[in-house]
């Protein structure tokens, strides 16, 4: 059977939350490999800037704006990839939101609903749409594809008071990742998570837990992570080199969880 070699050398890659931080760095890393990119995010102007940067690397790229807190947005991103290229090879479900620091006890639980809508429900919806497409590859005879979810070390162990909801959402995402990984591995769909530690991005700057130098001093690596550190892990998980890696959580944390 012909396995579309030309397409596979230029995989169709979906990245949500591609307008900044880890998502932007990962989109650019895939672009350098010649991927065809469907990028999602909220801000159209910033999205188009990332598209231009990807095209400058020689890649094809398209951006779709949408709020993942709203049902249907995650599915629309998958539909757009299919409309553009007729297939989806790799999905990086990266977009996420962290509540402003504060105790759950003093919160309006609408905050919990929003965090879970973005960090869990939208990824569940995304995986539903992605797997439906991936399992139909080659007319349903072969299946195949890769999904990487962006969780967090906070989903494993949360050192910072005031982010209980975010940590719970990421713990749930890790569980969802493992469950769907074992369900769909027999069809050649590999699903894993990456868990960033303390990475220098707009989200980290907005969290206000401490200054970067103070955080870096607590890490075995003695430096903050960079978005490119996480992008490299995502590209490896998406590659054939990780072909026997299923349902795992790859922590990119400068040694944080090991300590
Ligand atoms: N930076 C860190 O230290 C760190 C640590 C652990 C996990 N993470 C995870 O990494 C992922 C990327 O975060 P980042 O650090 O690059 O932050 P970031 O703020 O730079 O990027 C977040 C991205 O998600 C998008 N996004 C957020 N809410 C959205 C919504 N409602 N609809 C659509 N898009 C939305 C943003 O537009 C942006 O593109 C997140 O899932 C985050 O939880 C980050």
């Amino acid at each position: 059977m012909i396995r579309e070699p030309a397409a596979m050398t230029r995989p169709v890659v979906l990245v949500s939350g591609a307008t900044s931080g880890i998502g932007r760095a990962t989109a650019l890393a895939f672009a350098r490999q010649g991927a065809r990119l469907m990028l999602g995010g909220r801000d159209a102007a910033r999205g188009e800037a990332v598209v231009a940067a990807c095209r400058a690397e020689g890649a094809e790229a398209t951006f779709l704006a949408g709020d993942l807190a709203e049902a249907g947005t995650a599915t629309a991103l998958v539909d757009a990839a299919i409309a553009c290229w007729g297939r989806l090879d790799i999905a990086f479900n990266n977009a996420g939101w962290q509540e402003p620091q504060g105790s759950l006890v003093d919160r309006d639980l609408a905050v919990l609903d929003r965090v879970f809508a973005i960090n869990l429900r939208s990824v569940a919806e995304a995986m539903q749409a992605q797997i439906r497409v991936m399992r139909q590859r080659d007319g349903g005879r072969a299946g195949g594809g890769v999904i990487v979810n962006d969780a967090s070390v906070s989903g494993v162990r949360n050192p910072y008071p005031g982010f209980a909801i975010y940590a719970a959402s990421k713990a749930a995402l890790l569980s969802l990742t493992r469950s769907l990984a074992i369900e769909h591995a027999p069809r050649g769909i590999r699903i894993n998570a990456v868990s960033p530690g303390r990475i220098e991005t707009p989200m980290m700057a907005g969290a206000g837990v401490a200054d970067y130098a103070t955080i870096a001093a607590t890490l075995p690596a003695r430096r903050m992570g960079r978005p490119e550190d996480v992008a490299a892990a995502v590209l490896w998980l998406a590659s054939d080199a990780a072909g026997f890696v299923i349902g795992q959580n790859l922590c990119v944390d400068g040694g944080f969880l090991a300590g």
Side-chain angles (χ1 to χ4, degrees):
M1 179 185 303
I2 297 169
R3 293 273 301 173
E4 301 169 82
M8 290 312 294
T9 56
R10 298 172 57 241
V12 174
V13 180
L14 181 159
V15 179
S16 71
T19 54
S20 69
I22 294 165
R24 181 181 187 281
T26 306
L28 285 169
F30 275 118
R32 285 180 202 109
Q33 298 208 335
R36 295 172 286 177
L37 287 152
M38 178 53 62
L39 307 176
R42 282 170 303 181
D43 187 312
R46 282 162 55 193
E48 291 307 329
V50 179
V51 164
C54 289
R55 288 179 181 160
E57 298 287 350
E60 293 176 48
T62 302
F63 178 79
L64 185 69
D67 183 352
L68 286 167
E70 294 173 8
T73 302
T75 305
L77 204 51
V78 176
D79 290 346
I82 299 304
C84 277
W85 294 295
R87 60 187 294 134
L88 177 64
D89 300 298
I90 298 165
F92 180 37
N93 297 315
N94 162 73
W97 186 67
Q98 186 176 46
E99 71 271 27
Q101 191 169 20
S103 174
L104 170 77
V105 177
D106 305 317
R107 278 209 195 284
D108 185 330
L109 286 179
V111 175
L112 183 146
D113 293 337
R114 180 165 176 80
V115 171
F116 272 73
I118 298 167
N119 293 1
L120 187 69
R121 192 204 174 283
S122 86
V123 185
E125 182 190 314
M127 285 201 287
Q128 190 179 56
Q130 290 155 6
I131 291 167
R132 283 176 181 166
V133 165
M134 288 175 176
R135 69 184 179 189
Q136 288 307 316
R137 276 256 282 273
D138 296 325
R141 290 182 293 276
V146 176
I147 297 173
V148 180
N149 293 327
D150 199 341
S152 171
V153 292
S154 298
V156 181
R157 177 160 64 84
N158 178 24
Y160 296 118
F163 296 106
I165 298 170
Y166 176 79
S169 74
K170 294 296 189 175
L173 178 57
L174 286 170
S175 175
L176 196 71
T177 301
R178 289 189 298 272
S179 296
L180 291 200
I182 59 166
E183 278 181 28
H184 299 283
R187 294 299 297 272
I189 300 171
R190 287 195 305 106
I191 306 175
N192 290 287
V194 66
S195 273
R198 305 299 146 192
I199 313 296
E200 283 189 40
T201 69
M203 175 181 283
M204 193 65 189
V209 288
D211 65 81
Y212 286 168
T214 304
I215 297 171
T218 68
L219 299 175
R222 296 289 189 271
R223 71 165 174 87
M224 292 289 291
R226 293 183 274 269
E228 291 74 17
D229 292 319
V230 183
V234 174
L235 261 68
W236 179 76
L237 280 172
S239 75
D240 289 346
F244 204 51
V245 179
I246 290 167
Q248 295 300 305
N249 176 29
L250 177 51
C251 297
V252 183
D253 66 353
F256 168 72
L257 280 182

